Amino acid sequence: MVKSALYGLQLALATLPLQPAGGLTTLSDIPIMPTMRTTEPPSDPQVRLLTPNDQDSVWDFLKYAAHEDEDVRNVPLLQPYGKEFGMHPGDFGVAAVVGHNKDDDNGNSVQKNSGDGIIILGAAWIRQIHDKGGFCKTRDNLPELAMAVHPTHQGKGIGTLLLKNLLRQLEQQHHQVMDGQETLRGICLSCRTDNTAALRLYNKLGFTEIEGSEISNRAGGTSATMERLFV
């Protein structure tokens, strides 16, 4: 599982100003990427692209990321990370999915059903929100990442699976030759400095803390900005 904090909430955040080739600017224009299979237990999840049709799931996983009990659609601090996902330039994300419901020991459904028989176990997405209240402060106004795994599947490697696949997609975009368009330089996230598990994962995947970026968070601790540059 990947844990992180957005302004003191345990939330992983990062986004990209992605400009797809051919002048495409929103997810509704981007061809669906092939589903990628993994042998990760317990349910052989696959990774697919998030689309605007996943809006309800985006809100659900933002709630999990923020460790909130109630719907977060009307929480001002979190609105920039979830509202109208996929409808703005730079919105991009992936979801870990399985093709059937899975129940817990009490017979309750434990994943978010996307409505088409696909169960979403976790999601990671990026948005360019530095001018809309984002908490990452970087020199180049890098986009921010948000991600979460359903509570019943945390600690099973799904967060790592999501982040690795997301970074792979973004690096491919970065290395593409685009006609006169600027490619993505990197992404950023805000992480609690006492979240050692998340810091360990981020460091392993190439994120580095920006010196002097520490801020006090609403939980009474400290959060810092980390960035991952594509070279």
Side-chain angles (χ1 to χ4, degrees):
M1 160 190 165
V2 178
K3 292 183 178 179
S4 204
L6 166 61
Y7 203 61
L9 301 175
Q10 286 193 345
L11 177 64
L13 289 168
T15 327
L16 105 140
L18 182 64
Q19 293 291 333
L24 306 180
T25 57
T26 67
L27 281 178
S28 60
D29 298 319
I30 300 175
I32 299 299
M33 77 177 180
T35 298
M36 294 168 284
R37 182 170 294 278
T38 174
T39 56
E40 294 280 343
S43 48
D44 193 24
Q46 302 175 44
V47 177
R48 68 154 172 83
L49 190 70
L50 278 176
T51 76
N53 291 333
D54 294 313
Q55 178 65 76
D56 286 344
S57 294
V58 167
W59 286 120
D60 284 342
F61 284 102
L62 186 59
K63 177 182 72 174
Y64 298 140
H67 287 243
E68 293 284 347
D69 295 326
E70 305 296 333
D71 194 296
V72 297
R73 297 166 200 256
N74 296 318
V75 177
L77 286 174
L78 301 180
Q79 285 240 333
Y81 297 93
K83 187 176 181 180
E84 297 178 343
F85 175 78
M87 305 305 293
H88 301 278
D91 289 358
F92 189 82
V94 295
V97 303
V98 291
H100 56 82
N101 282 295
K102 182 177 178 62
D103 296 337
D104 61 18
D105 293 337
N106 297 317
N108 300 311
S109 180
V110 295
Q111 290 97 16
K112 170 66 181 176
N113 193 316
S114 64
D116 55 5
I118 300 298
I119 310 304
I120 302 178
L121 307 180
W125 65 96
I126 55 176
R127 307 199 85 178
Q128 184 66 288
I129 55 174
H130 68 275
D131 58 345
K132 299 179 180 64
F135 292 98
C136 284
K137 306 301 179 185
T138 63
R139 179 181 54 198
D140 299 321
N141 294 327
L142 298 176
E144 295 188 36
L145 164 84
M147 66 179 293
V149 174
H150 192 284
T152 59
H153 284 283
Q154 294 174 355
K156 300 176 181 178
I158 295 173
T160 301
L161 173 71
L162 285 166
L163 190 52
K164 282 184 175 180
N165 276 280
L166 181 67
L167 289 172
R168 183 181 303 121
Q169 292 293 317
L170 301 186
E171 287 179 319
Q172 288 174 355
Q173 290 287 343
H174 170 73
H175 290 296
Q176 286 180 356
V177 177
M178 300 183 182
D179 297 335
Q181 296 188 23
E182 182 179 356
T183 59
L184 173 67
R185 184 171 183 270
I187 60 175
C188 66
L189 58 85
S190 179
C191 183
R192 285 174 52 174
T193 56
D194 61 355
N195 192 341
T196 56
L199 291 170
R200 190 161 50 244
L201 174 63
Y202 296 144
N203 287 325
K204 180 179 178 180
L205 295 182
F207 287 86
T208 57
E209 182 177 338
I210 297 178
E211 185 177 356
S213 66
E214 296 86 356
I215 60 171
S216 298
N217 57 49
R218 57 184 282 174
T222 302
S223 295
T225 294
M226 303 183 76
E227 64 181 5
R228 169 70 145 76
L229 301 180
F230 304 136
V231 295

